[in-house]
Amino acid sequence: MSYPVEMNVTPKVTAFFDEATNTISYVVQEPDGPACAIIDTVLDIDYAAGRITHDSADKIITFVEAEELEVAWLIETHVHADHLSAAPYIQERLGGKIGIGEKITEVQEVFGKVFNEGTEFQRDGSQFDALFTDGDTYAVGAMTGFAMATPGHTPACMVHVLGNAAFVGDTLFMPDGGSARCDFPGGDAGQLYDSIQKVLSLPDQMRLFICHDYGPGGRAIAWETTVAEQKAANIHLAGGTSREEFIRTRESRDATLAMPKLIIPSLQVNMRAGDIPKDDDGRPVLKVPLNGL
């Protein structure tokens, strides 16, 4: 598929790093106007205490209001397993549509069973305002964004490209961090390799913005790289790594990884577009299924 790349458009990108989850959220503003998109927000949770707070989201809200921006979209690059989305909290205060990849329905089907959700839990993606298909375009003011389907980490993963900036979710990390794990239900290392090749087919100068960074080797946290830098130095891909070699390396690595600390609450909330499930009395609750993952 040919994608409508516009390298002459340079959006203003402001990053917000959440230290508790090593997540980077972004406000992406059109070059010459107030419209913006907000990508991969974070809802704070003290899991041990069962307490939700909004400090991370409030920082973004404060910034958007101070800059007098207009929110067009709240985009989830995928159903995150390591942090909760604050999209509905921000939407209530700033507006905008919540969007995710159309394969969210596959994620909802799998984890609807894991969490023993009843028939009231819709598995059609209707909790979101928009479901993107590969190549879909959307407007952020005068700027056009488009979605690239990049399954492998999860079925619903998408890279979102706005001008010369691409927001890659967990498809790629910084070059010294490699790539995303593929051992969650619906993950596939071969698919991830193919998806990464799609990303690397973008122009070499395309700026890539990463969703997570852990500072390998003790370096400072970073979140911006380029297609050229990934081609040259990504530890899982550089040097002409074949699909078979990548699958072998990725699956070997995944076998050593523990489950993310927040996977249980994250999946329940994020497959609902950031809404927290409630019990029969309307109280927010989370389930802990045993031996389900």
Side-chain angles (χ1 to χ4, degrees):
M1 174 177 288
S2 176
Y3 296 101
V5 178
E6 297 180 322
M7 292 300 290
N8 61 326
V9 176
T10 302
K12 302 173 185 177
V13 179
T14 304
F16 297 82
F17 177 67
D18 178 62
E19 186 174 1
T21 62
N22 289 83
T23 302
I24 303 98
S25 305
Y26 298 98
V27 175
V28 190
Q29 182 185 349
E30 61 177 333
D32 300 307
C36 72
I38 303 175
I39 299 177
D40 290 337
T41 60
V42 175
L43 184 69
D44 304 304
I45 182 171
D46 181 339
Y47 195 26
R51 183 172 295 113
I52 294 290
T53 53
H54 304 92
D55 293 350
S56 296
D58 286 339
K59 290 176 183 177
I60 293 176
I61 292 170
T62 297
F63 173 81
V64 169
E65 291 178 338
E67 296 295 316
E68 299 182 341
L69 303 182
E70 299 171 2
V71 178
W73 287 95
L74 293 149
I75 291 171
E76 301 292 341
T77 56
H78 62 292
V79 174
H80 307 276
D82 44 23
H83 72 272
L84 284 65
S85 169
Y89 175 80
I90 295 177
Q91 183 185 52
E92 183 178 342
R93 286 151 183 80
L94 300 177
K97 295 180 180 179
I98 302 174
I100 198 169
E102 63 171 343
K103 294 297 179 67
I104 177 62
T105 57
E106 294 184 15
V107 177
Q108 290 175 328
E109 185 64 33
V110 169
F111 291 108
K113 294 176 181 177
V114 170
F115 292 104
N116 195 29
E117 301 293 351
T119 55
E120 69 277 4
F121 173 59
Q122 298 298 311
R123 294 159 170 83
D124 58 1
S126 57
Q127 300 88 344
F128 297 82
D129 298 313
L131 303 182
F132 297 111
T133 62
D134 190 31
D136 274 356
T137 61
Y138 53 92
V140 180
M143 180 170 59
T144 299
F146 68 86
M148 295 175 61
T150 53
H153 174 57
T154 80
C157 285
M158 299 197 99
V159 168
H160 286 263
V161 183
L162 295 120
N164 64 7
F167 300 85
V168 301
D170 286 7
T171 301
L172 283 167
F173 295 152
M174 295 297 290
D176 59 351
S179 60
R181 66 194 296 169
C182 300
D183 59 331
F184 298 150
D188 184 282
Q191 279 191 336
L192 181 62
Y193 180 87
D194 297 339
S195 293
I196 290 172
Q197 299 312 306
K198 288 174 64 175
V199 177
L200 298 184
S201 72
L202 294 169
D204 281 355
Q205 297 75 31
M206 178 69 72
R207 298 183 292 160
L208 303 181
F209 292 89
I210 310 301
C211 186
H212 297 286
D213 188 62
Y214 303 92
R219 68 154 168 76
I221 297 296
W223 49 74
E224 181 178 351
T225 179
T226 65
V227 167
E229 289 169 354
Q230 291 284 1
K231 287 179 178 178
N234 187 287
I235 60 172
H236 293 163
L237 298 156
T241 301
S242 70
R243 193 176 191 269
E244 292 72 23
E245 290 171 329
F246 178 85
I247 292 171
R248 187 164 51 250
T249 298
R250 186 67 266 167
E251 290 182 347
S252 176
R253 168 70 173 153
D254 289 348
T256 70
L257 300 176
M259 282 287 131
K261 294 179 180 179
L262 295 179
I263 188 170
I264 296 294
S266 295
L267 292 174
Q268 291 176 78
V269 170
N270 296 340
M271 70 180 183
R272 290 176 164 85
D275 281 333
I276 299 173
K278 296 177 176 60
D279 65 14
D280 293 339
D281 294 324
R283 297 173 299 185
V285 295
L286 295 166
K287 298 177 182 177
V288 182
L290 301 180
N291 303 321
L293 292 173

